[in-house]
């Protein structure tokens, strides 16, 4: 035991930044919002001191430079913002969360380290899923008088501490609503938990498909069950539907190599997610508000979107450069102009347009396209590489799809998830050989065609090909 501890200490002394990075990625989704950022800042200081001692310069990469351009616009928008403190604080938060992308890009430049980060993310997601399952199950037992209220697992997990901290602060914080009937895990809101579940769900499938040994396969299968249960426990309609579509998307592409394990994963996914959708609409159980609440929520979303689009198209400054970074002004517009007491646009594209105008939307679109382009560049010519690239691609896609129905940059945790995905994308791009370097539309087309060919090779093989192999 002492030998193992001494060995771990030696490894830490050699590369302390790496172990801090793993701790950050695991702990950020678990600790409260007002604690997690300080873990990141402390870890980045350790990493920077290590890099200085080794005579290295921290790099940000192409994606890093593009997102810096976006964050610079966000910071500059303070000049024309009516809610300057909110705009500055939100921009500063983005700059702070950006540090994790720098750490990943510089520290995780081997395939083994990338897999290690992915496994840490999934472990953190599984722990959140476990807590969420306990929350929703205990609440259900309480509703039907099987247990007392004192025996219900607190939702959200840090609710008493949150109340104490927000009361102690010298300024008001517009906290999100707490739903006892919908699980939040270690997050303050079920939608925030669902955001992380969207990201780690495809990654858990990648690890399950590619891990070796029955023991590790059983562990990642169990993790996937917990993550699926976490998605279900949030009773988030969009999250549940998107997760099912994500599985279907992966099954269609990966069916040739992995049809059997994907079906194994599908069984618990369907068993826990479908009942959640049915419950949300009051078909099998009745959640608080039932189907009426679900339909009312959908109608409210469309009203919010149409109102903000109307505001953008009738005001030249918001149309071009926005009203300033941060959600506060969006909430004021909805309340004062359209009598809607809603905090944000419930859509990351519309919200970005309101805050930073069409210029901000275009810059952000370039960041996303470049991120997908980095994945398309990779020569995914074997099973593991293909599933890695495809599952990270799917994580980003599900994350952004979920952002079409809810704002996905509403908290430090949600923001850092975006930077973790960008950092991983850059790290994967460094570790694997390229088919082509994407520099323009022509090279993008070549990379897309090569990726399509790799995809076709993963699809079910024909009978003739099978007969040739058998011969």
């Amino acid at each position: 035991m002492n030998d193992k501890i001494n060995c771990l200490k030696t490894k830490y002394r050699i590369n302390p930044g790496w172990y801090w990075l793993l701790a950050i990625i695991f702990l950020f989704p678990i600790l409260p919002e007002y604690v997690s950022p300080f873990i990141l800042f402390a870890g980045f200081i350790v990493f920077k001191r290590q890099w200085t001692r080794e005579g290295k310069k921290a790099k940000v990469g192409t994606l890093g430079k593009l997102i810096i351009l976006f964050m610079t616009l966000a910071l500059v928008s303070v000049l024309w913002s009516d809610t300057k403190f909110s705009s500055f604080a939100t921009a500063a938060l983005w700059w702070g969360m950006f540090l994790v992308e720098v750490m990943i890009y510089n520290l995780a430049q081997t395939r083994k380290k990338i897999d290690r980060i992915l496994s840490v993310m999934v472990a953190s997601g599984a722990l959140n899923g476990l807590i969420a399952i306990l929350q929703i199950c205990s609440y259900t037992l309480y509703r039907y008088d099987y247990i007392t209220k004192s025996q219900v697992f607190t939702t959200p997990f840090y609710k008493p501490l949150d109340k104490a901290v927000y009361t102690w602060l010298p300024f008001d914080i517009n906290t999100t609503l707490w739903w006892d009937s919908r699980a939040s895990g270690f997050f303050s809101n079920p939608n925030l938990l669902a955001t992380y579940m969207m990201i780690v769900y495809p990654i858990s499938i990648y690890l399950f498909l590619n891990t070796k040994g029955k023991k590790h396969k059983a562990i990642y299968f169990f993790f996937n069950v917990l993550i699926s249960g976490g998605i279900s426990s949030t009773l988030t309609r969009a999250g549940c539907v998107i997760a099912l579509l994500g599985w279907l998307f992966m099954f269609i592409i990966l069916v040739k190599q992995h049809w059997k394990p994907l079906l194994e994963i599908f069984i618990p996914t369907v068993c826990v997610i479908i009942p959640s959708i049915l419950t949300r609409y009051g078909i099998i159980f009745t959640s608080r508000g039932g189907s009426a609440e679900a339909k009312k929520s959908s109608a409210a979303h469309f009203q919010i979107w149409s109102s903000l689009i109307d505001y953008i198209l009738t005001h030249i400054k918001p149309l071009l450069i926005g009203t300033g970074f941060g959600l506060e002004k969006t909430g004021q517009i909805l309340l004062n102009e359209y009598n809607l007491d809603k905090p944000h646009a419930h859509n990351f594209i519309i919200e970005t347009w309101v805050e930073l105008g069409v210029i901000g939307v275009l810059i952000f679109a370039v960041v996303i396209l470049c991120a997908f382009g980095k994945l398309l560049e990779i020569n995914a010519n074997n099973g593991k590489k293909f599933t890695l690239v495809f599952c990270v691609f799917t994580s980003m896609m599900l994350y952004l799809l979920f952002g079409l129905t809810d704002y996905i940059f509403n908290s430090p945790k949600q923001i850092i998830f975006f930077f973790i995905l960008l950092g991983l994308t850059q790290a994967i791009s460094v570790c694997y050989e390229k088919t082509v370097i994407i520099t323009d539309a022509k090279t993008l087309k070549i990379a897309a065609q090569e990726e399509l060919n790799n995809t076709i090779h993963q699809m079910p093989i024909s009978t003739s090909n099978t007969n040739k192999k058998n011969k």
Side-chain angles (χ1 to χ4, degrees):
M1 186 65 179
N2 289 333
D3 290 340
K4 290 183 179 180
I5 294 174
N6 290 332
C7 181
L8 185 60
K9 286 181 178 178
T10 302
K11 289 181 179 179
Y12 174 81
R13 292 191 192 100
I14 294 172
N15 196 0
W18 168 246
Y19 290 96
W20 271 92
L21 175 60
L22 293 179
I24 290 164
I25 291 174
F26 180 77
L27 293 174
F28 214 101
I30 292 174
L31 296 173
E33 301 274 8
Y34 39 83
V35 175
S36 294
F38 295 102
I39 302 295
L40 171 59
F41 301 150
F44 186 80
I45 291 171
V46 172
F47 155 72
K48 193 65 176 69
R49 289 182 63 185
Q50 176 187 343
W51 244 230
T52 301
R53 186 176 66 249
E54 296 176 4
K56 299 177 181 178
K57 290 185 178 180
K59 300 176 182 179
V60 297
T62 305
L63 281 177
K65 292 173 183 176
L66 288 173
I67 199 65
I68 283 175
L69 179 61
F70 176 82
M71 295 189 300
T72 300
L73 175 63
L75 196 57
V76 172
S77 74
V78 174
L79 297 176
W80 61 80
S81 173
D82 293 334
T83 55
K84 295 187 183 300
F85 177 77
S86 173
S87 295
F88 177 78
T90 307
L93 181 62
W94 275 68
W95 280 92
M97 298 304 100
F98 171 68
L99 300 178
V100 80
E101 180 183 349
V102 179
M103 292 182 71
I104 293 173
Y105 182 52
N106 286 271
L107 290 166
Q109 293 196 344
T110 68
R111 301 178 184 188
K112 184 177 180 181
K113 286 184 176 180
I114 289 170
D115 279 351
R116 188 73 179 275
I117 287 176
L118 295 177
S119 64
V120 168
M121 290 174 65
V122 169
S124 185
L127 185 55
N128 261 291
L130 174 62
I131 297 300
I133 292 169
L134 292 174
Q135 288 170 337
I136 196 68
C137 288
S138 62
Y139 175 80
T140 303
L141 292 173
Y142 162 68
R143 276 199 64 199
Y144 291 96
D145 298 322
Y146 287 105
I147 62 175
T148 63
K149 189 173 184 179
S150 62
Q151 294 173 306
V152 176
F153 218 78
T154 306
T155 304
F157 187 83
Y158 296 110
K159 187 175 183 179
L161 182 60
D162 289 346
K163 288 182 177 180
V165 170
Y166 296 145
T167 302
W168 172 79
L169 289 173
F171 50 85
D172 293 331
I173 291 183
N174 185 22
T175 58
T176 52
L177 294 174
W178 289 312
W179 286 277
D180 293 334
S181 59
R182 296 172 59 194
S184 302
F186 291 107
F187 292 76
S188 59
N189 181 292
N191 289 344
L192 304 188
L193 172 61
T195 304
Y196 193 49
M197 298 292 103
M198 293 297 100
I199 294 170
V200 295
Y201 178 74
I203 294 173
S204 70
I205 293 178
Y206 159 74
L207 293 171
F208 174 71
L209 296 179
N210 290 281
T211 193
K212 295 179 180 179
K214 292 183 178 179
K215 179 181 177 182
H216 288 95
K217 275 201 174 292
I219 290 172
Y220 286 121
F221 179 84
F222 182 59
F223 281 180
N224 181 268
V225 171
L226 292 178
I227 290 167
S228 299
I231 296 171
S232 176
S233 299
T234 65
L235 296 180
T236 304
R237 291 161 297 150
C240 292
V241 172
I242 290 170
L244 292 175
L245 292 176
W247 177 89
L248 181 61
F249 182 48
M250 287 184 283
F251 183 78
I252 291 171
I253 302 300
L254 303 177
V255 62
K256 173 184 173 181
Q257 297 290 337
H258 302 290
W259 68 270
K260 187 175 180 180
L262 281 170
L263 286 177
E264 291 173 1
I265 285 286
F266 187 58
I267 294 171
T269 297
V270 168
C271 288
V272 298
I273 290 182
I274 292 295
S276 176
I277 299 173
L278 299 177
T279 298
R280 193 76 167 98
Y281 283 96
I283 296 174
I284 57 175
F285 293 102
T286 305
S287 63
R288 192 174 68 181
S291 59
E293 182 193 13
K295 294 175 182 177
K296 184 179 178 182
S297 175
S298 298
H301 278 52
F302 284 109
Q303 194 174 4
I304 291 167
W305 299 337
S306 61
S307 298
L308 288 174
I309 291 173
D310 172 74
Y311 185 84
I312 292 168
L313 296 179
T314 54
H315 294 77
I316 189 66
K317 189 178 82 169
L319 176 66
L320 297 178
I321 60 174
T323 60
F325 208 47
L327 302 177
E328 187 175 348
K329 184 61 179 179
T330 305
Q332 291 178 2
I333 292 170
L334 288 170
L335 183 61
N336 299 332
E337 302 288 334
Y338 300 96
N339 198 31
L340 295 172
D341 189 13
K342 301 294 180 181
H344 51 69
H346 286 276
N347 180 295
F348 79 96
I349 298 175
I350 296 176
E351 184 63 45
T352 303
W353 198 350
V354 173
E355 295 178 11
L356 297 177
V358 67
I359 296 174
V361 172
L362 289 175
I363 295 174
F364 195 81
V366 170
V367 173
I368 299 301
L369 289 174
C370 184
F372 285 131
K374 287 286 182 186
L375 295 173
L376 288 175
E377 287 178 348
I378 297 167
N379 184 20
N381 56 359
N382 66 46
K384 184 173 181 180
K385 276 197 293 184
F386 184 82
T387 51
L388 171 63
V389 171
F390 181 71
C391 286
V392 172
F393 179 94
T394 305
S395 286
M396 179 77 80
M397 184 182 68
L398 297 189
Y399 176 61
L400 296 176
L401 282 175
F402 187 65
L404 297 178
T405 61
D406 194 75
Y407 189 53
I408 51 175
F409 305 120
N410 198 29
S411 72
K413 290 185 178 182
Q414 287 183 303
I415 295 169
I416 201 173
F417 300 154
F418 178 61
F419 286 121
I420 288 173
L421 287 174
L422 293 185
L424 278 170
T425 299
Q426 290 202 127
I428 292 170
S429 179
V430 169
C431 292
Y432 291 90
E433 63 271 16
K434 313 291 191 302
T435 302
V436 63
I437 303 297
I438 296 177
T439 56
D440 51 29
K442 183 178 179 180
T443 52
L444 175 61
K445 181 181 178 181
I446 294 171
Q449 287 175 338
E450 184 64 30
E451 192 64 29
L452 179 61
N453 290 334
N454 288 330
T455 301
I456 292 171
H457 287 314
Q458 303 299 318
M459 300 294 284
I461 53 179
S462 65
T463 306
S464 59
N465 286 339
T466 304
N467 291 335
K468 286 178 183 179
K469 286 186 178 181
N470 289 336
K471 289 180 182 179

